[in-house]
Short mmCIF file of all heavy atoms in Angstrom, two decimals:
data_model
loop_
_atom_site.label_atom_id
_atom_site.label_comp_id
_atom_site.label_asym_id
_atom_site.label_seq_id
_atom_site.Cartn_x
_atom_site.Cartn_y
_atom_site.Cartn_z
N GLN A 178 68.91 66.97 -34.59
CA GLN A 178 68.59 67.47 -35.93
C GLN A 178 68.53 66.35 -36.97
O GLN A 178 67.66 66.33 -37.83
CB GLN A 178 69.63 68.52 -36.34
CG GLN A 178 69.64 69.72 -35.40
CD GLN A 178 70.61 70.79 -35.88
OE1 GLN A 178 70.39 71.43 -36.91
NE2 GLN A 178 71.69 70.99 -35.14
N HIS A 179 69.48 65.40 -36.87
CA HIS A 179 69.46 64.29 -37.83
C HIS A 179 68.18 63.46 -37.67
O HIS A 179 67.58 63.04 -38.66
CB HIS A 179 70.69 63.40 -37.65
CG HIS A 179 71.99 64.08 -37.98
ND1 HIS A 179 72.19 64.82 -39.12
CD2 HIS A 179 73.17 64.12 -37.31
CE1 HIS A 179 73.44 65.29 -39.14
NE2 HIS A 179 74.05 64.88 -38.05
N CYS A 180 67.78 63.21 -36.42
CA CYS A 180 66.57 62.41 -36.19
C CYS A 180 65.33 63.17 -36.67
O CYS A 180 64.43 62.58 -37.28
CB CYS A 180 66.43 62.06 -34.71
SG CYS A 180 67.69 60.91 -34.13
N ARG A 181 65.29 64.46 -36.39
CA ARG A 181 64.17 65.29 -36.89
C ARG A 181 64.12 65.22 -38.41
O ARG A 181 63.05 65.05 -39.01
CB ARG A 181 64.36 66.74 -36.43
CG ARG A 181 63.33 67.71 -37.00
CD ARG A 181 63.89 69.11 -37.13
NE ARG A 181 65.05 69.15 -38.02
CZ ARG A 181 65.94 70.13 -38.05
NH1 ARG A 181 65.85 71.15 -37.23
NH2 ARG A 181 66.96 70.09 -38.90
N ASN A 182 65.28 65.31 -39.06
CA ASN A 182 65.30 65.26 -40.53
C ASN A 182 64.76 63.94 -41.06
O ASN A 182 64.28 63.87 -42.19
CB ASN A 182 66.73 65.47 -41.05
CG ASN A 182 67.17 66.92 -40.95
OD1 ASN A 182 66.32 67.82 -40.78
ND2 ASN A 182 68.46 67.16 -41.03
N LEU A 183 64.86 62.87 -40.25
CA LEU A 183 64.35 61.56 -40.68
C LEU A 183 62.88 61.39 -40.35
O LEU A 183 62.30 60.33 -40.58
CB LEU A 183 65.17 60.45 -40.00
CG LEU A 183 66.63 60.35 -40.45
CD1 LEU A 183 67.42 59.43 -39.53
CD2 LEU A 183 66.71 59.84 -41.89
N GLY A 184 62.27 62.42 -39.77
CA GLY A 184 60.84 62.35 -39.49
C GLY A 184 60.50 61.75 -38.14
O GLY A 184 59.36 61.36 -37.89
N ALA A 185 61.48 61.66 -37.25
CA ALA A 185 61.21 61.12 -35.91
C ALA A 185 60.62 62.20 -35.00
O ALA A 185 60.81 63.40 -35.23
CB ALA A 185 62.51 60.59 -35.30
N GLU A 186 59.89 61.74 -33.99
CA GLU A 186 59.48 62.63 -32.90
C GLU A 186 60.59 62.55 -31.86
O GLU A 186 60.84 61.51 -31.27
CB GLU A 186 58.15 62.16 -32.30
CG GLU A 186 57.69 63.05 -31.17
CD GLU A 186 56.51 62.49 -30.39
OE1 GLU A 186 56.55 61.29 -30.05
OE2 GLU A 186 55.57 63.25 -30.15
N VAL A 187 61.28 63.68 -31.66
CA VAL A 187 62.47 63.67 -30.81
C VAL A 187 62.16 64.20 -29.42
O VAL A 187 61.57 65.27 -29.27
CB VAL A 187 63.61 64.51 -31.45
CG1 VAL A 187 64.88 64.45 -30.58
CG2 VAL A 187 63.91 64.04 -32.87
N VAL A 188 62.55 63.42 -28.42
CA VAL A 188 62.40 63.80 -27.02
C VAL A 188 63.80 63.94 -26.44
O VAL A 188 64.60 63.00 -26.53
CB VAL A 188 61.63 62.71 -26.24
CG1 VAL A 188 61.51 63.10 -24.76
CG2 VAL A 188 60.26 62.45 -26.86
N VAL A 189 64.12 65.11 -25.91
CA VAL A 189 65.48 65.35 -25.41
C VAL A 189 65.45 65.48 -23.89
O VAL A 189 64.64 66.23 -23.33
CB VAL A 189 66.09 66.61 -26.05
CG1 VAL A 189 67.40 67.01 -25.35
CG2 VAL A 189 66.36 66.37 -27.53
N ILE A 190 66.33 64.75 -23.22
CA ILE A 190 66.48 64.84 -21.77
C ILE A 190 67.77 65.60 -21.48
O ILE A 190 68.86 65.16 -21.88
CB ILE A 190 66.56 63.43 -21.14
CG1 ILE A 190 65.32 62.60 -21.50
CG2 ILE A 190 66.73 63.53 -19.62
CD1 ILE A 190 65.38 61.14 -21.04
N GLU A 191 67.65 66.77 -20.84
CA GLU A 191 68.83 67.62 -20.65
C GLU A 191 68.61 68.50 -19.41
O GLU A 191 67.62 69.20 -19.32
CB GLU A 191 69.04 68.49 -21.90
CG GLU A 191 70.02 69.64 -21.76
CD GLU A 191 71.42 69.22 -21.36
OE1 GLU A 191 72.00 68.34 -22.02
OE2 GLU A 191 71.93 69.78 -20.36
N PRO A 192 69.54 68.47 -18.47
CA PRO A 192 69.36 69.24 -17.24
C PRO A 192 69.62 70.75 -17.37
O PRO A 192 69.12 71.53 -16.56
CB PRO A 192 70.39 68.62 -16.27
CG PRO A 192 71.42 68.01 -17.15
CD PRO A 192 70.72 67.60 -18.41
N ILE A 193 70.39 71.17 -18.40
CA ILE A 193 70.75 72.59 -18.49
C ILE A 193 69.72 73.33 -19.35
O ILE A 193 69.46 72.97 -20.51
CB ILE A 193 72.17 72.75 -19.09
CG1 ILE A 193 73.19 72.05 -18.17
CG2 ILE A 193 72.52 74.23 -19.28
CD1 ILE A 193 74.60 72.01 -18.73
N ALA A 194 69.16 74.40 -18.77
CA ALA A 194 68.02 75.09 -19.40
C ALA A 194 68.35 75.63 -20.79
O ALA A 194 67.58 75.45 -21.73
CB ALA A 194 67.53 76.21 -18.48
N PHE A 195 69.52 76.30 -20.95
CA PHE A 195 69.78 76.91 -22.27
C PHE A 195 70.01 75.86 -23.35
O PHE A 195 69.76 76.10 -24.53
CB PHE A 195 70.90 77.97 -22.19
CG PHE A 195 72.31 77.45 -22.15
CD1 PHE A 195 73.00 77.15 -23.33
CD2 PHE A 195 72.97 77.29 -20.95
CE1 PHE A 195 74.31 76.71 -23.30
CE2 PHE A 195 74.30 76.85 -20.92
CZ PHE A 195 74.97 76.56 -22.09
N LYS A 196 70.44 74.66 -22.93
CA LYS A 196 70.58 73.58 -23.91
C LYS A 196 69.21 72.97 -24.25
O LYS A 196 69.00 72.54 -25.39
CB LYS A 196 71.56 72.53 -23.40
CG LYS A 196 72.99 73.09 -23.34
CD LYS A 196 74.05 72.05 -23.03
CE LYS A 196 75.43 72.71 -23.08
NZ LYS A 196 76.50 71.78 -22.74
#
Side-chain angles (χ1 to χ4, degrees):
Q178 299 184 69
H179 294 313
C180 292
R181 175 209 60 199
N182 285 343
L183 292 168
E186 180 190 46
V187 182
V188 179
V189 170
I190 303 174
E191 167 59 53
I193 299 174
F195 78 86
K196 292 188 177 177

